[in-house]
Amino acid sequence: MRWQSGVTRRTLLCNTAAGTAALAAGAIGAYAQPASKPPNIVFILADDLGYADVSCYGRRDFTTPNIDRIAARGMRFLQGYANSAVCSATRLALITGRYQYRLRLGLEEPWAGNPDIGLPPEHPTLPSLLRKAGYGTSLIGKWHLGALPKFGPLKSGYDHFFGFRGGAVDYYSHIDTRQKHDLWDGDVEVDKVGYFTELLGARALDAVNSYAKSGQPFLISLHFSAPHWPWEAPGDEAESKRVAGTSLRDFDGGTQKTYQRMIEAMDAQIGRVLEALDANGLTDNTIVIFTSDNGGERFADTWPFTGKKTELLEGGLRIPM
C-alpha cells in the first residue's frame, strides 16, 4: 500500500497532463507491438462529494468499502484538488487537459440558457485522443458541457453516452431543474425506470463486459450525479413525487441519513464495476481513478477544512482522490 501526501496542485496537474500524453503515446506504440496491451481506464467521478465523505478519508458514521478498496490497492492523495469549485469548469479541465478559463465554457456554465455555450466539438479531448489510439470510449452519467444540437459527448470523442446533459436530475423521474426530462442513450432521449445511481452502475457493468468480450482497450468515464441534490436515496420514490413540479434546489428536503445512503448506493455500484473487472480478468491492466468534481455541499463532511462548493476555500476545492 502506498500513500502520497506531499503533492501540490501544480505538481498534480503537470503530472496528470504528462501522464495522459504518455498514455496516449504508449497506446499507439502498443498497437505497433501487439505483445504490449495498453491499459484500460475507468475514471469514476462523484458530484459534490466532500473531502471526508468516504471512510478512507475520515468518515466515521458509515463505510465506503469499495472506494476504500481502490485506495488500499493503489494510491491515496491527501492534497488532491479539483480544478474549480463548480462542476462544468472542472469537467472542462478534465476532458481537455487545459486551464478551464481559456474557453468560454469555463466562465459560464451551460445551464445559463445560452445554446452557444459548450465544449467546441473540434477541440481535442482526452476521449478523442484515446480513440485515435485505438480505445473504445464511453461516458456514463453527467455531461454538463453543452446542449444539442451543437454540443455533446458523441461530438467530443465518446463512442457511447448514457446519462444526462444538464447539471442535476431527479433520481427517479430524471427531470432536470428546468422541469424537462433529461435522460439520453447516445443522442436519443429515453425513458428508464429506476434509481439513477443504479441505472448508471448497470450500464457501466454492461460496458465493461462488452469491452472485455471485444478485447478493445477502453476508457469508461463513470460520472455519477451522486451525492448532488435532490436528496433522494434508494427507496425514496415518495420524496421524488413530493418535489415533482418544483424547482430543484439544494435547500429543499434532505437529511444527513439520506445523504449517507446516497453515498453508500454509489459505493455499491462502484463495487459492481470492480467485480466486473475482476470477473473478466481486467483488473491488473486497468487504471481505476476515483475523485469528485469539486468540494461538498449542504450535508457534506469537509473536515478538517472550512468552505464548500462554489467557494475557493479548502472545503470547496479539496477532494478525495
Side-chain angles (χ1 to χ4, degrees):
M1 186 180 301
R2 295 170 295 162
W3 308 103
Q4 183 164 338
S5 60
V7 180
T8 66
R9 189 189 314 186
R10 181 182 297 275
T11 301
L12 180 60
L13 291 175
C14 289
N15 289 345
T16 300
T20 299
L23 179 63
I28 295 171
Y31 265 70
Q33 304 174 31
S36 300
K37 187 172 178 60
N40 309 304
I41 307 167
V42 178
F43 193 99
I44 306 170
L45 192 66
D47 199 345
D48 294 357
L49 188 73
Y51 179 80
D53 272 337
V54 294
S55 47
C56 64
Y57 277 78
R59 192 87 194 205
R60 290 181 171 84
D61 50 343
F62 64 91
T63 61
T64 50
N66 297 299
I67 295 170
D68 293 358
R69 172 186 166 188
I70 298 171
R73 297 183 64 172
M75 181 177 292
R76 182 182 61 152
F77 291 92
L78 299 181
Q79 293 184 25
Y81 287 86
N83 259 65
S84 172
V86 292
C87 66
S88 282
T90 293
R91 293 164 196 273
L92 178 61
L94 169 63
I95 198 171
T96 64
R98 301 181 71 193
Y99 186 51
Q100 60 267 23
Y101 302 118
R102 292 185 179 274
L103 296 173
R104 181 181 178 188
L105 176 60
L107 298 167
E108 186 175 359
E109 292 204 330
W111 52 255
N114 189 331
D116 295 324
I117 298 175
L119 173 60
E122 66 275 11
H123 197 293
T125 64
L126 174 62
S128 72
L129 293 174
L130 286 174
R131 185 162 66 179
K132 288 181 179 179
Y135 276 66
T137 56
S138 295
L139 172 61
I140 300 168
K142 183 172 178 175
W143 168 244
H144 207 197
L145 294 174
L148 289 173
K150 291 186 176 182
F151 312 105
L154 302 187
K155 298 177 183 296
S156 290
Y158 286 107
D159 298 319
H160 306 286
F161 169 57
F162 175 78
F164 66 110
R165 298 175 184 275
V169 291
D170 185 273
Y171 286 82
Y172 290 94
S173 68
H174 316 132
I175 299 293
D176 67 12
T177 55
R178 306 163 299 163
Q179 291 302 301
K180 294 184 178 181
H181 186 260
D182 189 11
L183 183 59
W184 303 79
D185 196 336
D187 286 342
V188 178
E189 190 175 356
V190 294
D191 286 310
K192 295 285 185 180
V193 176
Y195 184 65
F196 191 57
T197 302
E198 295 172 352
L199 293 178
L200 297 182
R203 182 55 67 98
L205 193 68
D206 290 344
V208 170
N209 291 332
S210 178
Y211 284 126
K213 185 176 181 179
S214 72
Q216 183 181 24
F218 58 83
L219 163 69
I220 296 176
S221 300
L222 178 52
H223 295 183
F224 287 101
S225 59
H228 194 293
W229 52 267
W231 315 115
E232 298 165 2
D236 285 348
E237 292 94 336
E239 177 66 5
S240 173
K241 293 177 181 178
R242 184 187 73 80
V243 301
T246 66
S247 296
L248 300 176
R249 292 291 184 268
D250 63 338
F251 51 75
D252 186 10
T255 64
Q256 280 287 351
K257 184 63 176 178
T258 298
Y259 183 76
Q260 165 188 328
R261 291 167 55 226
M262 293 171 72
I263 296 173
E264 289 176 323
M266 177 176 63
D267 184 77
Q269 297 308 310
I270 292 171
R272 295 180 68 194
V273 174
L274 297 179
E275 289 170 3
L277 293 173
D278 286 343
N280 285 289
L282 299 173
T283 300
D284 289 344
N285 196 44
T286 301
I287 300 168
V288 181
I289 301 165
F290 174 83
T291 189
S292 179
D293 61 346
N294 45 246
E297 206 178 10
R298 179 178 167 194
F299 295 108
D301 188 349
T302 59
W303 184 91
F305 310 114
T306 59
K308 61 179 183 178
K309 175 184 177 179
T310 75
E311 298 175 349
L312 300 182
L313 297 167
E314 291 289 293
L317 290 166
R318 197 140 158 174
I319 38 82
M321 181 181 295

